[in-house]
Amino acid sequence: MSTVGSAISSVVSATVKVVRKVVEVIATKGEAFIEGVKDTYAKVKPYLQKLSPYLKTAAAAVAPALPWLSKAILVVDKTINTLLALENSPVLKKLEKAMRWVIAVSKRLHEKFNAAEEMEAREHQAAFSAARAHAGTAEQKAAFDLAAMINELAIVKTGIANLLEDGNFTSFEHYLRLRATQKLIRPIDDTLATAQSTDEISADDIFLVQLGATLLSDKPEMSEAETERLDGIVFARYGKKLLPFVFEEMSKIWQLALTDDERKWKRTSATISAAKAKLSRLKLEALVSPLSTEEQTALDALTASVPAAIAENDDLLARNVEREHYVSATEGFLQLLEKDEAELRANDQEYLLELGGEVGTLLMECAQKGLRWNELSQHQQALIADFANIFRADSVKRGEALEVECNG
């Protein structure tokens, strides 16, 4: 490798480390200088509520009996006979009840379960774990895994739906885990609905559902092996690594919330302009002749409300400009995670490496110290703005992609 190539590779390595770190910091503390999780969610909730429900994707395809499940039940039946031979009646009794539950659940994959049903599903999950220990063959173990997956899928989807609908998440990081899980398990509904054989349901599908249950907790604990496996699945299915896959959701949702506030500023500006015109007209008329009682009341109201409305809208504009810099910079970090050295070279974007590292370090300081835009020096503001402007159009496009998904 040439000296120039070695230097670029060194910068790539150093920048990626900084970018990964700044992404982690922004994911946990970025709301301090971009926007709080509750405020953002309140703005995008109307969009997200229209999101094509992940529980709905398989609704039309789910038949009264799923072909693959019929085969799995036959295998489970053989295993039940094995348990009978062991005279393990407590396990058998619970397993029989659990299987009846799963067969019923398989016919309503598109539905959301109530609290009592969710509790019942959790009880049946323990029965499957106990029964699996008595399975004698790999085929029998796999059959129990599939049945347990259906049960756990109901638990995971219902848990996610409840938390998202209630806005009952503690941070953006928690929200992102929920959305990442939602995106990962969504295609599994289609697989379960159309599979003709258990062979079509992969071990990765089962793993994702199991992991989904883990990710629902406030403090999920994943082993290094699980993280590597999840990273591999995400890359194979979505063409990106786990960190940008999860972080992309934050980038989208912040941009969508910002776009919503920019639209609000434009609407309010138009309303204020009309009010100002009416106020000016009434003031001129008052100079010429006495106003009617109704006109005077309108003049007094506008005299009091227009300055306050202008000040509030000016504050929103300033906040939007500030957030625009941070959100667009976030898009830049995301792209630096998504692209490799070859892509940057091909697009003549090597300069982004050094600039991204410098801006990333500065934003980490903003997040960790809670620094606001007006507390930064002119040089620091210009540095962030220059980096952000490069990615502004891409950031808007990514936010629009979420809006399309929500309304699709």
Side-chain angles (χ1 to χ4, degrees), residues 25-191:
V25 170
I26 288 176
T28 55
K29 299 184 179 181
E31 60 187 89
F33 64 96
I34 295 181
E35 188 172 55
V37 59
K38 299 297 183 182
D39 292 336
T40 300
Y41 187 72
K43 291 168 186 170
V44 301
K45 190 173 182 179
Y47 294 104
L48 297 177
Q49 285 178 326
K50 293 187 286 185
L51 182 63
S52 300
Y54 58 90
L55 294 174
K56 180 182 175 184
T57 55
V62 172
L66 304 181
W68 68 267
L69 184 59
S70 299
K71 182 177 179 181
I73 290 171
L74 292 176
V75 176
V76 170
D77 185 57
K78 294 178 183 178
T79 309
I80 288 176
N81 290 332
T82 301
L83 295 178
L84 278 172
L86 293 172
E87 296 183 354
N88 196 325
S89 56
V91 174
L92 175 61
K93 192 171 183 178
K94 290 182 180 179
L95 176 62
E96 183 183 3
K97 187 178 180 182
M99 282 306 301
R100 284 201 305 268
W101 163 263
V102 166
I103 292 169
V105 167
S106 69
K107 299 174 185 177
R108 39 188 295 227
L109 287 174
H110 58 291
E111 297 180 21
K112 178 185 169 185
F113 297 97
N114 59 39
E117 289 173 322
E118 184 180 1
M119 185 177 297
E120 182 178 354
R122 294 185 184 280
E123 291 174 359
H124 292 320
Q125 203 66 12
F128 283 122
S129 296
R132 191 180 187 279
H134 295 280
T137 67
E139 184 184 28
Q140 290 170 349
K141 284 183 170 61
F144 280 129
D145 284 343
L146 287 172
M149 182 183 77
I150 292 291
N151 189 58
E152 194 153 41
L153 187 61
I155 296 173
V156 171
K157 291 194 298 186
T158 296
I160 292 175
N162 287 337
L163 284 174
L164 291 180
E165 285 176 13
D166 298 339
N168 193 21
F169 37 83
T170 57
S171 65
F172 265 122
E173 187 179 21
H174 188 197
Y175 172 84
L176 292 175
R177 290 200 303 269
L178 297 174
R179 284 288 288 145
T181 304
Q182 188 182 63
K183 288 163 68 175
L184 286 167
I185 67 175
R186 185 181 297 167
I188 296 176
D189 270 345
D190 295 323
T191 300

Side-chain angles (χ1 to χ4, degrees), residues 215-236:
L215 291 174
L216 276 175
S217 63
D218 289 340
K219 295 182 179 180
E221 294 182 4
M222 290 171 54
S223 68
E224 187 175 338
E226 287 174 327
T227 302
E228 289 179 2
R229 183 174 180 182
L230 180 59
D231 200 24
I233 292 172
V234 170
F235 189 78

Side-chain angles (χ1 to χ4, degrees), residues 229-249:
R229 183 174 180 182
L230 180 59
D231 200 24
I233 292 172
V234 170
F235 189 78
R237 297 188 179 188
Y238 295 92
K240 59 185 69 176
K241 291 291 187 179
L242 181 60
L243 184 57
F245 174 76
V246 173
F247 190 61
E248 179 185 36
E249 192 69 37

Side-chain angles (χ1 to χ4, degrees), residues 276-350:
K276 286 170 64 179
K278 185 175 181 180
L279 178 60
S280 297
R281 178 176 60 79
L282 288 172
K283 284 182 175 180
L284 287 174
E285 289 180 3
L287 294 175
V288 176
S289 61
L291 298 176
S292 67
T293 301
E294 183 179 348
E295 288 174 330
Q296 186 61 52
T297 299
L299 175 60
D300 293 341
L302 288 171
T303 300
S305 64
V306 168
I310 291 173
E312 184 177 347
N313 210 39
D314 285 346
D315 286 344
L316 178 60
L317 175 61
R319 187 80 181 105
N320 286 348
V321 170
E322 175 183 6
R323 285 160 59 209
E324 179 184 320
H325 292 319
Y326 289 133
V327 173
S328 297
T330 297
E331 170 67 25
F333 298 131
L334 182 57
Q335 289 195 26
L336 286 175
L337 284 177
E338 292 174 329
K339 295 178 181 179
D340 58 24
E341 180 182 337
E343 288 180 277
L344 292 171
R345 283 183 176 181
N347 296 327
D348 294 325
Q349 291 181 310
E350 295 98 328

